[in-house]
Amino acid sequence: MSGNRLSLNINGFESFDGGTAGRNHLTLLKEIKEAKNRFLADGGLSALIRPEVAESWRRCSGRLDPSTHKPAQPSPKYVAELLRKNRLLISHGSTIIDSICENLDESIYYMCLTDSAGRALYINKGYFNKKGPIDFLALGVCFDEESAGANSIALALLHKRDMLIQGAEHFLNPSEAVTCATSIIRDQAGSILGTITITFDIGQYNDLLPGLAATATKLVEERLSRVRYHEILDHVVDNTHESIIVLDSNLKIIKTNPQFLQLLGLNKEDIDLINVTDMFQGLDFKKLLIEKGATELGEVTLKQQNRRCRVNLHIYPVYNDQGLDCLVIFCQEIRSLIIMSRKFSGKTNYYTFKDIITNDPQMVKLIDHCRRIAELDFPILIQGASGVGKELFAQSIHSGGPRADKPFMAVNCAALPLSLIESELFGYEKGAFTGAQTSKPGKFELADDGTIFLDEIGELPLDVQSKLLRVLDNFKVSRIGGRDDKPLNVRLVAATNRNLPEEIARNNFREDLYYRLNVMNITIPPLRERKGDIALLARHFLSQLNLKSQSPSPKVFPDYTLDALSAYRWPGNIREMQNAVIKAYYLCSGHEIEPRHFSFITAGKDANKPRNEETAKSQPISSTERDKIVEALSRCRGNVAEAAAALSMPTSSLYRKIKKYDLTAKNFL
């Protein structure tokens, strides 16, 4: 007999090989019946019986009577609750089962859907009109091994794979007249959701029939997967802060969220009236339906009735086995993007006039003047040497004016590389140049409704000055690569440490731009002209350091140290003082900070001597700018950083001027 036990895999099912002749198949089934009878009589097992079936028989023997046992029939209340909990699985499984049974009604007894515990959830239409051999089949009946003995549902769930059980392999006698093929339904994670079983007469065996169960489960899994996907999609759409619209392959709206409706001023009742093609002006949907993968379109104008808004679009096509399933479109309003950018690139905690530390009469008078002009919405030009606190005054003017609760955007023009100045100030559109993968607003747009502070404005190249003048003339900005001018409502405060009239005379600065900026003018005096503030500021910076260190023995400045600090000229002004106090604080290991802790104060040397006279590199230099640069590079042996320090200008500015005058630093080595 063992020679007949050949294992085949029929569409994923393990079964006996009945050969090509029906007689051989029926003969094998007869031999299985005889082997079962011998097992029930004396416990002996034939090698013909598959191991999983034999093990199941052993577990059932002595516990279940194959002739009389029937699974328990559940109560109507139990069945109703079971069906309620599994309504999604039943909804999709029943549709597939009935579709298959319509074409095979004469070949099968029934198709059954169960949950993961083997409890019957649905039996195909028409079953109850037949008089099949299994009279205990009903909704809610459990087909696990403990309730129904060895059967295809129990063994499939036990071994976690599809299973074919034929004739007398079933432990209960009423099931010996049928062959059952059970296929497992799984979710995307591989967890078992349930089973589908096809049952047919033992004499009508066909190799194709078991495959129908596997086909049915695959169809159910695909449906449940799509349902799960749309559940996730619905959750994302309903719970995101972004505006989202979902379209089907025919561009019909499947779903929107409240943010999208609010963006266009619509109600839910208005959705059916939307013409998607008209709403997304200029959007090539035919191209989108062909392309696969996420697509960022940059800025697009949405139009609905009389309302227009500019949005940044991200489109995600979703595909199934049949092709395009839907288009998920994220719409980010440009204005909201700008507001978000301000949180990361703009300042939020601004200085006020109260933060300006001074007892100097001319400074007090200057602050009073600034308080008055802060209320006026005119351009302001702040002049003063490096380190005097030009941005401190700019922020205070912003805080004291009508735009105090709006953004303050600071831009150091000298720190921007030449190739990036225009894009940083005015923004750019997607594709405007190599590397422009997305559109980006410039600093002027980010400062809209607030204040933009252009520090070191004297370092701007002439071509950028020209564009800045156009912006100030009509308060509209055009991005690089853009076609439209964007209106601005922004206050401009500029600052420089240069003598702009002299720069105009040298053709380094536009005269018309100077007059446009110089509506209100502020000149901040250097620290050396505010002798009374030197000790005051030194104590202020020291107090901050003591507070930060939380030392039980705070450090102090003796009077002779303050006298020495007051005698120094402070060419770097307040910025230099702050850094000098910090350095001296940490160099001092005792309680009192002395003059020796300041590197620029040395015994026997004139503290009043300007620091730029203390080194040979800073001797008086030629009058013209080019000659000054040549002389500084010569003294510094081509070291651009040292030459820039000697000339009191940013290194980036010196590089631009070296290029402007067609000089080469290495020639001075």
Side-chain angles (χ1 to χ4, degrees):
M1 296 294 182
S2 62
N4 288 324
R5 188 180 152 212
L6 301 175
S7 179
L8 284 179
N9 189 288
I10 304 172
N11 295 304
F13 294 85
E14 288 190 359
S15 69
F16 284 96
D17 180 12
T20 57
R23 182 182 61 80
N24 292 338
H25 177 68
L26 293 177
T27 298
L28 288 173
L29 293 177
K30 182 178 179 180
E31 291 172 351
I32 292 172
K33 172 63 176 174
E34 293 171 353
K36 178 182 176 182
N37 289 337
R38 287 196 297 274
F39 169 76
L40 294 174
D42 58 22
L45 276 168
S46 167
L48 180 68
I49 307 304
R50 289 179 289 168
E52 58 267 38
V53 175
E55 292 167 2
S56 180
W57 284 0
R58 289 192 184 100
R59 291 190 293 269
C60 295
S61 179
R63 185 172 57 81
L64 302 178
D65 186 336
S67 301
T68 61
H69 178 78
K70 293 182 180 181
Q73 298 292 309
S75 68
K77 183 178 179 180
Y78 176 87
V79 173
E81 180 63 16
L82 178 68
L83 300 184
R84 186 191 66 79
K85 289 181 178 179
N86 292 275
R87 57 186 180 274
L88 181 63
L89 180 60
I90 295 170
S91 171
H92 295 281
S94 62
T95 302
I96 300 300
I97 286 173
D98 288 340
S99 176
I100 292 175
C101 289
E102 284 179 3
N103 300 311
L104 297 170
D105 198 45
E106 299 301 323
S107 304
I108 64 174
Y109 283 121
Y110 67 85
M111 285 186 76
C112 177
L113 172 72
T114 76
D115 64 6
S116 58
R119 295 171 295 191
L121 301 176
Y122 183 78
I123 306 166
N124 64 288
K125 296 176 182 178
Y127 162 74
F128 296 104
N129 296 328
K130 297 181 179 181
K131 293 182 179 179
I134 305 176
D135 58 358
F136 52 76
L137 180 61
L139 296 179
V141 169
C142 184
F143 282 87
D144 64 7
E145 189 180 77
E146 184 176 348
S147 302
N151 65 84
S152 63
I153 297 173
L155 295 184
L157 292 173
L158 180 64
H159 295 282
K160 296 181 173 56
R161 58 180 172 83
D162 294 353
M163 189 68 65
L164 181 72
I165 298 295
Q166 304 187 72
E169 286 185 312
H170 293 93
F171 192 75
L172 300 185
N173 291 345
S175 301
E176 292 181 358
V178 297
T179 293
C180 297
T182 296
S183 183
I184 293 177
I185 304 170
R186 300 178 187 271
D187 63 17
Q188 290 178 303
S191 301
I192 295 176
L193 300 176
T195 70
I196 289 181
T197 300
I198 183 168
T199 300
F200 44 90
D201 185 273
I202 195 172
Q204 295 181 332
Y205 179 81
N206 185 315
D207 285 350
L208 297 177
L209 291 175
L212 289 175
T215 300
T217 57
K218 186 175 186 301
L219 293 173
V220 172
E221 286 172 351
E222 289 176 353
R223 286 194 170 203
L224 292 175
S225 176
R226 287 198 295 271
V227 169
R228 178 58 179 159
Y229 169 78
H230 284 287
E231 285 179 348
I232 295 172
L233 181 61
D234 287 347
H235 179 78
V236 171
V237 171
D238 290 338
N239 291 280
T240 186
H241 294 296
E242 294 187 38
S243 302
I244 299 179
I245 181 171
V246 184
L247 310 177
D248 65 14
S249 57
N250 296 316
L251 304 184
K252 182 180 179 181
I253 298 175
I254 300 174
K255 186 173 182 62
T256 64
N257 62 357
Q259 289 84 350
F260 182 84
L261 296 175
Q262 183 179 1
L263 184 67
L264 292 175
L266 300 174
N267 298 315
K268 284 186 176 181
E269 297 76 19
D270 301 324
I271 293 177
D272 293 336
L273 304 177
I274 296 175
N275 184 309
V276 172
T277 305
D278 291 342
M279 180 174 62
F280 289 97
Q281 293 185 316
L283 195 58
D284 187 354
F285 276 101
K286 289 184 178 180
K287 181 180 179 182
L288 291 174
L289 294 176
I290 295 173
E291 292 181 350
K292 290 190 176 184
T295 303
E296 181 179 354
L297 296 181
E299 287 192 31
V300 173
T301 299
L302 296 187
K303 179 184 177 183
Q304 183 61 28
Q305 297 177 349
N306 295 325
R307 185 160 183 169
R308 291 171 179 260
C309 62
R310 298 283 291 173
V311 297
N312 194 42
L313 285 190
H314 288 77
I315 300 182
Y316 298 87
V318 179
Y319 292 87
N320 55 35
D321 292 342
Q322 288 73 43
L324 182 70
D325 184 58
C326 63
L327 289 171
V328 183
I329 303 176
F330 287 76
C331 307
Q332 297 173 300
E333 189 179 11
I334 298 300
R335 186 171 183 84
S336 65
L337 287 175
I338 290 175
I339 293 172
M340 185 181 300
S341 298
R342 289 171 178 167
K343 294 180 180 179
F344 298 99
S345 57
K347 294 183 178 293
T348 53
N349 296 317
Y350 309 127
Y351 289 114
T352 68
F353 291 114
K354 293 180 180 179
D355 296 307
I356 301 175
I357 310 298
T358 185
N359 281 330
D360 185 78
Q362 62 175 332
M363 284 291 291
V364 173
K365 184 177 179 181
L366 178 63
I367 291 171
D368 289 340
H369 174 63
C370 289
R371 290 183 191 275
R372 292 193 298 273
I373 67 174
E375 298 292 337
L376 307 175
D377 213 15
F378 296 117
I380 297 175
L381 179 63
I382 304 176
Q383 294 177 291
S386 295
V388 295
K390 293 188 288 294
E391 184 169 349
L392 175 60
F393 269 84
Q395 288 192 32
S396 299
I397 289 170
H398 171 78
S399 300
R403 301 174 186 261
D405 60 339
K406 303 301 182 183
F408 177 89
M409 196 65 53
V411 183
N412 188 330
C413 300
L416 294 175
L418 280 172
S419 58
L420 297 180
I421 289 178
E422 189 174 350
S423 62
E424 283 293 314
L425 289 178
F426 309 118
Y428 55 83
E429 298 288 1
K430 179 182 178 182
F433 50 82
T434 303
Q437 301 297 323
T438 61
S439 298
K440 180 183 176 182
K443 300 297 185 183
F444 271 90
E445 284 186 73
L446 295 176
D448 198 24
D449 293 333
T451 301
I452 186 166
F453 173 55
L454 299 183
D455 197 8
E456 305 291 357
I457 196 168
E459 310 303 323
L460 283 180
L462 287 171
D463 58 335
V464 179
Q465 292 179 32
S466 177
K467 189 165 185 177
L468 175 59
L469 180 63
R470 290 198 301 272
V471 172
L472 297 180
D473 280 341
N474 57 23
F475 281 94
K476 291 182 180 179
V477 65
S478 177
R479 295 182 184 177
I480 299 175
R483 293 175 294 179
D484 302 325
D485 289 335
K486 303 177 185 298
L488 291 175
N489 175 22
V490 65
R491 182 181 195 173
L492 175 65
V493 179
T496 183
N497 61 2
R498 293 190 170 278
N499 187 321
L500 291 185
E502 289 184 5
E503 295 299 314
I504 293 170
R506 295 174 184 145
N507 295 320
N508 293 332
F509 202 83
R510 291 182 63 107
E511 186 175 14
D512 47 4
L513 177 58
Y514 173 71
Y515 292 127
R516 195 70 179 82
L517 296 172
N518 197 32
V519 178
M520 296 290 178
N521 186 286
I522 299 169
T523 300
I524 304 174
L527 187 56
R528 64 177 176 271
E529 296 179 8
R530 301 156 47 189
K531 293 293 185 180
D533 283 346
I534 293 176
L536 179 66
L537 288 167
R539 289 194 183 100
H540 170 72
F541 294 135
L542 181 62
S543 174
Q544 288 183 325
L545 292 168
N546 282 327
L547 184 64
K548 182 178 179 180
S549 68
Q550 296 183 342
S551 171
S553 179
K555 297 178 182 180
V556 297
F557 284 131
D559 289 342
Y560 61 90
T561 300
L562 292 176
D563 290 341
L565 294 178
S566 298
Y568 181 60
R569 289 179 59 85
W570 298 107
N573 294 289
I574 299 171
R575 185 185 294 119
E576 181 188 6
M577 169 180 278
Q578 183 176 20
N579 292 335
V581 171
I582 292 173
K583 182 178 179 180
Y585 184 90
Y586 290 106
L587 287 176
C588 175
S589 58
H591 174 60
E592 293 185 344
I593 301 176
E594 300 178 356
R596 62 187 176 87
H597 295 118
F598 294 88
S599 59
F600 50 83
I601 302 176
T602 56
K605 290 198 176 182
D606 182 6
N608 286 292
K609 180 184 281 188
R611 185 166 58 171
N612 61 354
E613 296 176 6
E614 295 175 6
T615 65
K617 294 177 183 177
S618 299
Q619 294 298 323
I621 51 181
S622 306
S623 56
T624 67
E625 183 175 57
R626 188 180 189 283
D627 290 343
K628 289 179 180 179
I629 293 172
V630 170
E631 193 169 345
L633 288 171
S634 298
R635 290 172 183 166
C636 298
R637 298 177 180 270
N639 188 314
V640 178
E642 289 185 9
L647 293 168
S648 299
M649 71 168 62
T651 304
S652 58
S653 299
L654 182 54
Y655 273 114
R656 287 203 288 269
K657 293 183 183 297
I658 289 173
K659 182 177 180 181
K660 173 183 176 182
Y661 293 119
D662 197 24
L663 301 174
T664 304
K666 65 181 181 181
N667 292 338
F668 298 92
L669 296 176

